[in-house]
Amino acid sequence: MSATLTRRLAANLNSLSDSRWLPYLLFAGLVTMWAYNYVVMKVTLQAATPITHLIMRTTIGSLTLFGVLLARGHGIRPVRLKEAAGVGLSTTFLYGLAVTLALVAGAAGRTSVLVFTMPFWVALLSRWLLAEPFSPRARWAMVAGFAGLMLIVAPWQLQGGVLPMLLAVLAGLLWALGSVLSKKAAQQGALDSLNFSGWQALIGLLPLYALLPFADFAAIHWSPGFVLGMLYSGVFSSAVGWLAWLWLLRRLPASTLSFNALVIPVLAVGMAAHSLGEWPTGSELLGMLLIGSGIVLIARR
């Protein structure tokens, strides 16, 4: 009886994964989950110091992802360890540090927009590291993105608040670097994506423990909301989100997925305005529109 039930369950799961609408539903859920994570992180950072929050969140996400690799039961030995280390240090470690510090003093919606300047950095880094062509459309996208950044950062004001925005832009650059390094590793031959992802997450986690002297776990304001928020950021947004992204990459056109960079900050701005009362100014809205226009150009090039 149990064998029959197992076969039926496997058949149902295969049928579900072959359905035409599932990838699009999963994509919609993924971008919503990643957008809301900016609000969740902004709220939970009020209950823990930035370094404490970063260590806890990254530990949960990295161990969850590596645990999935272990649970698979085969292909555990690391492959492309050097490349995985580069991605882990840039994406898991440095990106996580930059976006956490940006959210401490910066608005969640604005931070998400600045982080998602990532496609511009990908275009630049791909030309340098992957020798990909830089089209005229990409140049216009860079112009629109730079103008948008200037309107949001407003360096002519210099009234304190500039550092969080610069950290958010740096986070986007680091995320782009990790993405380009991942693509470069894939171009060098067949790549076990789960093995690569699990090891890069574990390697990126290790340097964080050098920051333990700056953490203060005794100062955490524990609450059910804080625990749920940390699980949301660590398990769902980080580990489950990354695995869902890998699954989608095998089933949807890359051009469709590239629009996540446009949808996520738009959703995050609306969610932050509704949940946190962080309403953008007129110049910030114009800057976001310019950045969004540039991202559309990048995605369609």
Side-chain angles (χ1 to χ4, degrees), residues 152-269:
I152 295 174
V153 177
W156 52 85
Q157 293 182 356
L158 296 178
Q159 295 178 351
V162 174
L163 181 59
M165 291 185 280
L166 295 179
L167 285 170
V169 174
L170 176 61
L173 172 60
L174 290 166
W175 188 1
L177 177 61
S179 299
V180 172
L181 291 177
S182 297
K183 184 174 181 179
K184 187 175 182 180
Q187 289 179 344
Q188 295 173 354
L191 191 67
D192 183 339
S193 57
L194 181 57
N195 180 289
F196 188 85
S197 300
W199 279 102
Q200 71 84 13
L202 184 64
I203 293 171
L205 171 65
L206 296 179
L208 282 177
Y209 291 107
L211 301 177
L212 278 173
F214 303 98
D216 189 357
F217 294 95
I220 296 175
H221 299 289
W222 291 98
S223 68
F226 175 76
V227 173
L228 290 175
M230 295 303 294
L231 290 175
Y232 181 96
S233 293
V235 176
F236 294 101
S237 182
S238 297
V240 175
W242 182 250
L243 291 176
W245 179 251
L246 294 177
W247 188 87
L248 285 168
L249 280 173
R250 297 195 299 269
R251 289 166 173 82
L252 288 180
S255 59
T256 300
L257 290 179
S258 67
F259 272 95
N260 85 93
L262 175 61
V263 175
I264 291 175
V266 171
L267 290 174
V269 169

Side-chain angles (χ1 to χ4, degrees), residues 4 10 31 35 52 69 72-73 75 77 107 121 147-148 155 193 228 264 276:
T4 302
V31 297
T52 306
L69 174 62
R72 187 175 67 171
R77 183 177 179 180
W121 304 119
S193 57
L228 290 175
I264 291 175
L276 306 175

Side-chain angles (χ1 to χ4, degrees), residues 44 84 95 104 110 112 126 148-149 151 159 161 169 196 198 207 215 233 274:
T44 51
Y95 162 78
V104 172
R110 183 170 54 196
S112 70
S126 294
L149 278 177
L151 287 172
Q159 295 178 351
V169 174
F196 188 85
S233 293
H274 179 267

Side-chain angles (χ1 to χ4, degrees), residues 33-48 52-61 64 100 103 220-239:
M33 179 174 65
W34 276 352
Y36 192 63
N37 188 51
Y38 284 93
V39 176
V40 171
M41 287 181 60
K42 181 70 176 180
V43 172
T44 51
L45 275 167
Q46 298 175 7
T52 306
H53 189 283
L54 175 62
I55 292 174
M56 291 179 64
R57 183 183 79 246
T58 308
T59 299
I60 294 170
T64 300
T100 299
L103 279 167
I220 296 175
H221 299 289
W222 291 98
S223 68
F226 175 76
V227 173
L228 290 175
M230 295 303 294
L231 290 175
Y232 181 96
S233 293
V235 176
F236 294 101
S237 182
S238 297

